[in-house]
Amino acid sequence: MSKSDLNAEIRDFLSSRRARITPQQAGLPAYGGNRRVKGLRREEVAMLAGVSVDYYVRMERGSLAGASESVLTALAEALRLDEAERAHLLALARESGAHGRAPRRTAPTTVRPVVQQVLDAMTDAPAWVRNGRHDIVAMNSLARALYSPVLADPRRPANTTRFVYLDPQAPEFFVDYDRIANDAAAMLRLEAGRNPNDKALIELVGELSTRSELFRRRWASHDVQLHRSGQKRLHHPVVGQLDLDFESMELPSAPGLTMNVYTAAAGSPTSDGLKLLASWAASQDNLPTESTSAPVS
């Protein structure tokens, strides 16, 4: 990421967070008359953060280098940032301070054999590993069956965000498609802040921005989001709707990789659906056998 791109990213992120907060929400007096800006003024943010107006203006213009942890914390409080947004702000500050010295980092596209063994040992739950740009790098048999629509694209590694935004099957496969699309872009934006020099990530964002108007709109919102647990409703073409619980766990032994595991309550229709899916998977000879060890083409 060039310095000008980084400055623009910082500017757009801070100004978009500032624009969403009203003076009333920030505990400031509601003065009469028309305000020319949406949300808080720069001087109001500076006052809430305990810094000078000139200093905040410099920060919003992209100059986060040298900002202390206490200043960044105060700014996060003033802008009412959530956990993901705070992490994004810190990542942007680190990149601003290290610009020109940071090495190019690449998201992993393989797992160690023992990680695949762990996945294969989970016979009753779909489980898969992704990197920060949402490439699927390893799966167990049940996950391959569950995500067979995603894997239908021969491009490897399969990428779930590319599927969400570019595959016409995605709105049918994901029951809550609008939420899924929003989450996917927000998670990718968070990764872009953490790893702005990942060439494949830059290319992916460029591809999605070129080919999807919806992605362009979601990307322009500068929203960021963590994705650790929740529910995901899928409409599988073979077994029908599955209402799944998921847990996402970072792998300490493999920095940059996250394991996703899907489960369902015992005796529920979805639990029965997973058993049916497992039977269907066992009967297939033409399912993809290994999704993703190849690098991005």
Side-chain angles (χ1 to χ4, degrees):
M1 181 184 290
S2 69
K3 182 169 177 54
S4 60
D5 287 342
L6 176 61
N7 289 347
E9 175 69 21
I10 294 169
R11 180 194 66 230
D12 292 343
F13 177 67
L14 291 179
S15 61
S16 65
R17 302 309 94 173
R18 175 168 60 84
R20 70 182 181 177
I21 304 172
T22 66
Q24 293 87 347
Q25 289 172 326
L28 298 175
Y31 298 108
N34 293 327
R35 294 172 62 91
R36 292 187 297 172
V37 298
K38 181 180 179 181
L40 294 177
R41 299 186 178 100
R42 291 186 180 90
E43 56 267 30
E44 291 169 333
V45 175
M47 181 187 67
L48 291 168
V51 299
S52 71
V53 176
D54 287 344
Y55 187 38
Y56 176 72
V57 169
R58 290 198 301 273
M59 286 196 290
E60 192 171 294
R61 287 176 177 169
S63 181
L64 289 179
S68 67
E69 183 177 349
S70 61
V71 167
L72 293 173
T73 298
L75 179 57
E77 292 290 341
L79 294 175
R80 305 168 75 94
L81 303 186
D82 64 21
E83 183 181 358
E85 291 166 333
R86 287 169 184 253
H88 190 55
L89 176 64
L90 292 175
L92 293 175
R94 284 193 298 270
E95 183 65 18
S96 181
H99 198 270
R101 304 191 304 273
R104 174 167 291 177
R105 301 179 294 275
T106 301
T109 56
T110 60
V111 296
R112 293 178 298 117
V114 68
V115 176
Q116 186 63 57
Q117 292 175 30
V118 171
L119 293 173
D120 292 338
M122 301 182 194
T123 57
D124 296 329
W128 54 286
V129 175
R130 65 166 178 83
N131 60 25
R133 61 175 177 260
H134 302 175
D135 295 331
I136 302 174
V137 302
M139 312 180 87
N140 65 9
S141 176
L142 197 51
R144 285 193 293 271
L146 180 68
Y147 268 32
S148 56
V150 180
L151 300 176
D153 185 338
R155 187 171 180 176
R156 293 294 182 267
N159 184 280
T160 55
T161 299
R162 183 182 287 115
F163 174 80
V164 166
Y165 280 101
L166 302 184
D167 197 300
Q169 295 183 78
E172 181 177 355
F173 182 64
F174 293 110
V175 176
D176 304 302
Y177 176 76
D178 287 344
R179 177 176 61 82
I180 294 295
N182 183 69
D183 291 351
M187 292 164 62
L188 208 62
R189 172 70 79 174
L190 186 64
E191 176 64 12
R194 288 189 296 228
N195 199 4
N197 300 303
D198 186 338
K199 183 175 182 291
L201 175 59
I202 295 169
E203 291 174 351
L204 175 63
V205 171
E207 176 190 3
L208 297 176
S209 298
T210 300
R211 299 178 59 189
S212 171
E213 180 183 354
L214 176 61
F215 180 81
R216 290 195 297 273
R217 293 201 306 267
R218 297 294 172 89
W219 192 251
S221 72
H222 286 267
D223 290 337
V224 292
Q225 184 171 308
L226 297 168
H227 203 58
R228 294 171 174 163
S229 64
Q231 291 75 44
K232 188 162 290 186
R233 299 193 298 165
L234 307 178
H235 188 273
H236 194 275
V238 174
V239 300
Q241 183 161 323
L242 299 170
D243 298 341
L244 298 158
D245 300 310
F246 74 86
E247 292 290 329
S248 295
M249 298 156 280
E250 295 182 0
L251 298 179
S253 63
L257 294 181
T258 299
M259 180 180 293
N260 297 314
V261 181
Y262 295 98
T263 60
S268 66
T270 294
S271 178
D272 294 338
L274 288 177
K275 293 174 184 176
L276 180 61
L277 183 65
S279 298
W280 174 75
S283 70
Q284 302 302 299
D285 295 327
N286 59 351
L287 281 177
T289 56
E290 183 55 62
S291 59
T292 58
S293 58
V296 174
S297 58

